[in-house]
């Protein structure tokens, strides 16, 4: 669903780096990073209260106070079996071994990174440490482990330590503690070498047709409701199962089409803040009245007989606005912290807001290009809505009283900041993404009575120079704007205020529909400026937690938060209202989570009368790490003051220690590993092209390689070149897509839709395939290097694994 009036040629794909050629050519070598993971297969966390026993992990690790107490109780049970001398010799060893369950790398130390592998009963120990442990305290081994292999090897140092040895010896205990590469940024959102924040995703729903809104009713049920562009709204239960019968079905009234990029259709939905008591919800959609197109805002009520079904006879049209063109329809509805309904309209369409002397956006007597604010409470009798008494232009001659702010072009997706969970800082701010015209996309914070500059300005730049120099413009600049080389249609997001991912608190996360970029802003409280970071999918081991993925479909349509404040976004592989390739993803920080049981909430029961469709995830984690040689040497393990302090404290509990614990150091230089990894967006790196066969192909856009779409480049006789053909056909595209591992060709792109391959020779022209050939060289063509075309005719393709749907 394209929202920019600029015709944008290039879009990234989802199936990154899938093809064998890509694996040969574009593997990026990245430094190794061991995967922080707890024994419950989740990220580590910061405990709420101080730990009494495993104090070395009180700042960050895998144990809360309850687990810490359990380990301490086990410690005392074990040590009761030893006399004073045994206690003094082995207390430190037992404590350290038990407390590795609290290590941020517990899963690695116990071989639990993969849920299918058997769990070690004793963590992986470095050989020199293991040798000291065996020599001083081997009598304690049966009390630590019931593994028969370990029991049988307890009297043989070599056999015993071999069982406890780890493949990557530099990450055994205690060498792991002194590995600065692991510990210096532990618990922080990891950045790649380009400063890109590495996050992961969890698939929540799939098979949707342009899902452009996901909302909750704030009624305690923790259901979420997903609106499709065709006019259907589906109810999902907290377990992510979908009700077979739609919550709302207004497909017959909604004006849309199957054209890619059509902006008309069902565009927004929101629930009344008191929905739990009054059952009201509001929708925003396109309609056709005679020969006129309009946007309509309607009120509905939930059925009195089924809490998962709207009473379709209850519709009351709150407001209709004529649309002079088919694009720039706006479409956002939300209730602000003040309880009023905010409506975000586009400027009316076409390009450059050509309506009237100054355009709709600067004309306060027009409802287009505005943020409107109305009061829909107590509207059962009398007017369907009222004007809030503090609306800014209520007394201005000629201005529509509904106008709250103006000068907006086409705000696509806005959100209300819940505020910091503790300080409430930022509460009720409204963030919006405003789609640009020719050069810039922008993020705005909406304030009463403010002018956001369009069409005088686009981002920070002048668009209409005469209007731009008008001293009375008094516009408010965006908090951030980015150029079209980064993306061409912003999708506004949310400030994260959820519980599960503390690192993300206060981060505004948004995206771009055309480029597929995920982005973030974080406010500097001292300067008031917003710092930008791109968001990438985690490389290597970063996202290898059960249920997580590191890829998504490229057209980012909308963002959402659930009833508990967790963040989601919706995207699709084909931007058509009838293509069932829409997926909902939950944003996950793999570096840190909230403590266990901290984010628990109770859901109210949902009475279900419809059949339930269980959710079946379809997406998978991409990327396989390849071990490399040349491992750096870590620093020797140092004495940790926490051990001496803790043992002193334990002795105060009735176990006096008169002999100091021996200081243990490691002298063997263990080895680390380098791993090869891949990322979603990265510049291509050419590898050993001599291994490629003639006819190999790749898809390129803006110097980036994309999995399912791009300019077709072919490898012939030791060089890469382009295919230039103004008669490029779907049969040709089928050959390319099948060669790259896709089932279908969705589009044969002509006229350099994915950019011109300047700097490369044009190797093929006049290609004619029947669709069954193994590569383009087997099709008829004008001959290698023979052509009568130019790079502005370079051919491209869009591929997919979902059969294209013409009409639903």
């Amino acid at each position: 669903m394209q929202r920019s009036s600029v015709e944008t040629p290039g879009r990234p794909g989802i199936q990154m780096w899938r093809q064998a050629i890509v694996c040969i050519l574009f593997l990026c070598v990245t430094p190794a990073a061991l995967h922080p993971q707890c024994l419950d297969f989740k990220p580590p966390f910061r405990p709420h209260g101080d730990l009494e026993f495993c104090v070395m992990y009180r700042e960050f690790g895998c144990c809360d106070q309850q687990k810490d107490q359990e380990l301490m109780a086990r410690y005392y049970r074990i040590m009761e079996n030893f006399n004073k001398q045994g206690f003094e010799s082995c207390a430190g060893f037992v404590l350290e071994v038990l407390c590795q369950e609290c290590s941020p790398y517990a899963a690695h130390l116990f071989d639990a990174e993969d849920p299918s592998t058997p769990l070690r009963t004793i963590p992986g120990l470095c050989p020199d440490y293991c040798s000291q442990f065996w020599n001083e305290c081997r009598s304690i081994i049966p009390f630590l482990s019931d593994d028969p292999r370990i029991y049988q090897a307890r009297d043989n140092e070599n056999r015993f330590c071999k069982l406890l040895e780890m493949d990557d010896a530099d990450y055994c205990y205690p060498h792991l503690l002194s590995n600065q590469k692991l510990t210096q940024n532990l618990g922080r959102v990891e950045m790649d070498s380009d400063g890109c924040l590495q996050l992961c995703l969890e698939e929540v729903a799939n098979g949707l047709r342009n899902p452009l809104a996901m909302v909750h009713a704030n009624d305690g049920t923790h259901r979420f409701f997903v609106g499709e562009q065709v006019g259907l709204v589906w109810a999902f239960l907290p377990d992510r199962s979908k009700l077979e019968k739609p919550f709302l079905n207004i497909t017959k009234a909604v004006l849309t089409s199957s054209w890619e990029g059509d902006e008309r259709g069902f565009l927004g939905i929101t629930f009344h803040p008191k929905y739990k008591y009054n059952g009201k919800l509001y929708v925003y959609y396109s309609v056709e009245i005679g020969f006129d197109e309009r946007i309509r805002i309607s009120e509905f009520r939930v059925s009195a007989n089924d809490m998962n079904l709207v009473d379709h006879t209850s519709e009351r049209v709150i407001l209709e606005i004529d649309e002079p063109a088919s694009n720039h329809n706006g479409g956002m509805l939300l209730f602000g912290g003040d309880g009023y309904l905010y409506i975000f309209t586009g400027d009316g369409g076409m390009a450059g807001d050509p309506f009237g002397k100054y355009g709709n956006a600067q004309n306060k007597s027009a409802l287009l290009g505005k943020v409107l604010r109305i009061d829909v409470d107590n509207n059962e009798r009398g007017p369907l809505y009222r004007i809030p008494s503090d609306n800014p232009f209520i007394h201005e001659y000629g201005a529509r009283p509904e106008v709250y702010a103006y000068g907006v072009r086409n705000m696509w997706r806005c959100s209300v900041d819940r505020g910091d969970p503790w300080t409430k800082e930022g509460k009720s701010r409204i963030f919006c993404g405003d789609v640009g015209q020719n050069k810039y996309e922008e993020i705005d914070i909406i304030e009463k009575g403010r002018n956001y500059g369009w069409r005088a300005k686009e981002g920070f730049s002048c668009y209409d120079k005469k209007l731009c120099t008008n001293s009375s413009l008094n516009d408010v600049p965006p908090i951030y704007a980015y150029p079209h080389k980064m993306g061409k249609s912003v999708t506004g997001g949310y400030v994260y205020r959820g519980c599960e991912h503390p690192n993300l608190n206060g981060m505004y996360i948004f995206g771009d529909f055309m480029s597929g970029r995920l982005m973030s802003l974080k406010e500097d409280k001292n300067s008031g400026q917003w710092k930008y970071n791109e968001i990438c999918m985690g490389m290597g081991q970063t996202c290898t937690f059960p249920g997580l993925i590191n890829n998504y479909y490229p057209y980012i349509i909308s963002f959402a938060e659930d009833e508990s404040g967790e963040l989601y976004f919706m995207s699709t592989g084909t931007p058509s209202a009838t293509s069932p390739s829409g997926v909902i993803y939950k944003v996950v920080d793999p570096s840190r989570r909230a403590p266990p049981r901290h984010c628990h909430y109770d859901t109210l029961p949902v009475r279900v009368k419809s059949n339930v469709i269980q959710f079946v995830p379809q997406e998978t984690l991409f990327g396989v790490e390849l071990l490399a040689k040349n491992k750096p040497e870590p620093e020797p393990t140092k004495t940790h003051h926490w051990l001496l302090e803790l043992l002193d404290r334990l002795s105060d509990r009735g176990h006096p220690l008169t002999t100091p614990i021996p200081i243990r150091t490691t002298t063997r230089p263990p080895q680390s590993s380098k791993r090869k990894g891949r990322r979603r967006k990265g510049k291509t790196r050419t590898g050993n092209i001599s291994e490629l066969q003639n006819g190999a192909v790749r898809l390129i856009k803006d110097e980036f390689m994309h999995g399912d779409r791009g300019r077709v480049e072919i490898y012939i006789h030791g060089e890469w070149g382009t295919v230039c053909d103004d008669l490029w056909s779907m049969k040709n595209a089928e050959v390319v897509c099948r060669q790259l591992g896709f089932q279908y060709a969705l589009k044969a792109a002509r006229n350099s839709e994915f950019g011109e391959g300047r700097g490369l020779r044009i190797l093929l022209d006049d290609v004619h395939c029947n669709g069954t050939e193994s590569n383009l060289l087997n099709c008829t063509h004008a001959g290698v290097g023979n052509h009568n075309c130019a790079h502005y005719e370079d051919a491209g393709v869009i591929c997919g694994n979902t059969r294209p749907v013409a009409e639903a």
Side-chain angles (χ1 to χ4, degrees), residues 78-79 82 86 90-91 94 133 137-145:
I78 292 173
M79 298 313 299
F82 295 88
C90 300
V94 175
F133 172 61
C137 296
R138 59 180 175 272
S139 60
I140 210 167
I141 292 172
F143 298 97
L144 288 173
S145 172

Side-chain angles (χ1 to χ4, degrees), residues 603-706:
T603 60
L604 294 179
V606 178
R607 298 185 301 276
V608 175
K609 296 186 176 182
S610 168
N611 291 330
V612 174
I613 302 171
Q614 296 299 323
F615 170 60
V616 179
Q618 301 294 327
E619 305 302 315
T620 56
L621 184 71
F622 283 2
V624 178
E625 290 196 328
L626 304 176
L627 294 176
K629 300 178 180 179
N630 303 325
K631 301 181 179 182
E633 296 183 359
E635 298 178 2
T637 302
K638 301 174 183 177
T639 305
H640 298 282
H641 63 85
W642 49 261
L643 179 57
L644 301 177
E645 291 177 0
L646 177 62
L647 291 170
D648 285 341
R649 290 169 58 187
L650 292 175
S651 68
D652 292 339
R653 290 180 173 238
H655 297 277
L657 300 177
T658 57
T659 305
I661 298 300
I663 295 174
R664 295 185 293 276
T665 61
T666 57
T667 56
R668 176 182 173 183
Q671 298 176 336
S672 68
S673 62
K674 289 186 178 180
R675 303 175 188 267
K676 294 183 178 180
R678 290 164 283 183
R679 59 174 278 181
R680 182 182 178 278
K681 295 186 182 76
K683 292 186 178 180
T684 58
R685 302 183 183 182
T686 56
N688 184 6
I689 61 176
S690 63
E691 298 179 16
L692 295 178
Q693 300 295 318
N694 281 341
V697 290
R698 65 187 184 189
L699 304 182
I700 300 292
K701 168 64 181 71
D702 290 341
E703 299 182 359
F704 289 88
M705 173 164 282
H706 298 290

Side-chain angles (χ1 to χ4, degrees), residues 535-573:
I535 293 174
C536 301
M537 294 294 95
M539 298 183 291
Q541 291 275 357
T542 304
C543 296
T544 54
F545 293 100
L548 298 191
I549 58 175
N550 60 352
N551 59 94
Y552 57 90
Y553 282 107
Y555 299 104
I556 301 173
I557 307 173
S558 191
F559 285 78
E561 62 179 7
D562 63 18
E563 195 165 348
S564 59
E566 298 307 318
L567 182 64
Y568 303 76
F569 71 91
M570 289 143 274
S571 68
T572 184

